[in-house]
Amino acid sequence: MNIMRTAILIAGLTAIFMGVGYLVGGTGGMMIAFVIAAGMNFFSYWNADKMVLSMYGAREVDARTAPEYYGIVQRLAARAGLPMPKVYIIDTPQPNAFATGRNPQNAAVAASIGLLQTLTPDEVAGVMAHELAHVKNHDTLTMTITATIAGAISMLANFAFFFGGRRDNNSPLGPIGAIAAALLAPIAAMLVQMAISRTREYAADRMGAEISGSPRSLATALSKIAGGASHIQNDAAEANPATAHLFIINPLSGQRMDNLFSTHPATENRIAALMELEGQMGGSSGGMAARRVDLPGGFGARQRRADDAPRGPWGNQAGGTSRGPWG
């Protein structure tokens, strides 16, 4: 099913790309667009994850540089039966996270500094379990290729707007075709993104809650992330809006599109579904709700319990071993 969905998505985006090429340059423009799209599809399969991580300036961390955060992902990956993904931190104050990679063997998860400063360890676990659910469902290939090609369609549409309106161009519709391409192509690409985004978020919420064992923690995390994303701008996301669907919550502050064109389901609906799942699971225990995950380099601060020993960044006890959110 995932292979079929990915194939349909790639075909749809390629068709849009070729259609824009036709409106800009006629049959020759369409053929050039097809060759470019074919090359992009091949390149995206192998390299789109690296491109996305680079766009956001993500830096890789490990058990030494970020023991608690890394430990959360490590324990969740074991629970989910997944290979250990690469773990990244994004240097933005907006709380958010995403996963990328062409398959579970080449996956990566990334969380922002804002997320790690804002959420409790249980909530961080809920978010990362959601991202690992995308990995387990093979959503990440679809999501990453979509980001790459949708971004290219928007760039081609801009090209059509600025250069396609000349009377001597090869467009069959002349300036009208160029304007149509500039206006309709990004909307068409967005509609294709929506076709895969909304339903997969619900599925990842459910599987993520099952992996972490706490639907409530993911629900409260979604509420906090949505609140942060609504008033804290993510500059990299604003510069690359075609990647918005990768994140657990839409990172575009100000919500430039209404709910009809949103790549994510309404947060309140996702929270309601998680709380219903909480009831079905008979409730879940937290135990870490009063603590926050520390950040490497002294970012953020953790609320300590009375029985906590002195701890360094990310939960390292002075002279001892690291502790994760499950002890």
Side-chain angles (χ1 to χ4, degrees):
M1 180 62 183
N2 282 294
I3 295 175
M4 179 67 70
R5 182 177 60 185
T6 301
I8 292 173
L9 173 67
I10 293 174
L13 289 171
T14 300
I16 295 172
F17 200 76
M18 292 173 63
V20 176
Y22 178 76
L23 290 174
V24 174
T27 303
M30 181 177 66
M31 294 307 299
I32 293 173
F34 174 76
V35 172
I36 294 173
M40 286 185 61
N41 287 332
F42 179 80
F43 180 83
S44 297
Y45 179 82
W46 295 102
N47 297 290
D49 55 337
K50 301 179 184 68
M51 290 177 58
V52 170
L53 291 166
S54 177
M55 285 178 189
Y56 287 93
R59 56 187 175 90
E60 188 173 359
V61 296
D62 55 26
R64 180 183 59 83
T65 56
E68 188 168 4
Y69 170 40
Y70 189 88
I72 288 173
V73 177
Q74 189 173 47
R75 293 170 189 264
L76 290 170
R79 286 187 177 192
L82 290 169
M84 181 62 187
K86 292 183 178 180
V87 182
Y88 289 83
I89 288 179
I90 310 167
D91 188 14
T92 175
Q94 184 191 85
N96 230 316
F98 67 83
T100 186
R102 63 183 181 273
N103 54 40
Q105 290 72 36
N106 296 276
V109 294
S112 70
I113 283 179
L115 183 138
L116 297 170
Q117 285 179 326
T118 303
L119 305 189
T120 68
D122 281 343
E123 291 167 343
V124 172
V127 170
M128 303 320 294
H130 170 100
E131 299 307 331
L132 289 174
H134 282 310
V135 174
K136 193 174 182 69
N137 287 334
H138 293 263
D139 290 333
T140 51
L141 174 62
T142 305
M143 294 156 61
T144 309
I145 288 179
T146 300
T148 303
I149 303 181
I153 289 172
S154 296
M155 290 176 61
L156 185 58
N158 290 333
F159 177 85
F161 183 80
F162 287 107
F163 300 103
R166 297 176 302 171
R167 294 181 179 274
D168 59 344
N169 69 6
N170 294 320
S171 171
L173 301 179
I176 296 176
I179 293 172
L183 296 178
L184 298 179
I187 295 175
M190 182 167 44
L191 291 173
V192 174
Q193 286 179 284
M194 287 168 51
I196 63 155
S197 295
R198 294 191 175 191
T199 56
R200 68 170 174 73
E201 290 300 334
Y202 283 118
D205 283 345
R206 184 177 185 88
M207 180 179 287
E210 292 170 350
I211 292 171
S212 68
S214 180
R216 182 180 296 273
S217 293
L218 178 53
T220 58
L222 290 176
S223 179
K224 291 181 181 180
I225 296 169
S230 66
H231 68 272
I232 301 174
Q233 182 163 301
N234 185 327
D235 293 333
E238 298 291 341
N240 302 281
T243 64
H245 66 283
L246 292 173
F247 288 83
I248 190 170
I249 291 288
N250 190 345
L252 302 179
S253 59
Q255 296 294 314
R256 295 176 299 180
M257 301 170 289
D258 61 22
N259 289 335
L260 179 64
F261 294 104
S262 176
T263 58
H264 292 69
T267 303
E268 55 268 27
N269 292 342
R270 295 170 67 183
I271 291 174
L274 286 166
M275 296 313 296
E276 182 179 351
L277 179 60
E278 169 93 355
Q280 295 172 3
M281 294 174 63
S284 56
S285 59
M288 294 289 163
R291 298 191 296 148
R292 276 196 358 221
V293 174
D294 290 332
L295 297 176
F299 298 101
R302 168 209 262 322
Q303 298 178 14
R304 294 181 183 171
R305 298 181 300 189
D307 60 345
D308 276 343
R311 303 164 73 87
W314 289 87
N316 282 343
Q317 292 183 351
T321 57
S322 63
R323 290 171 57 186
W326 296 282

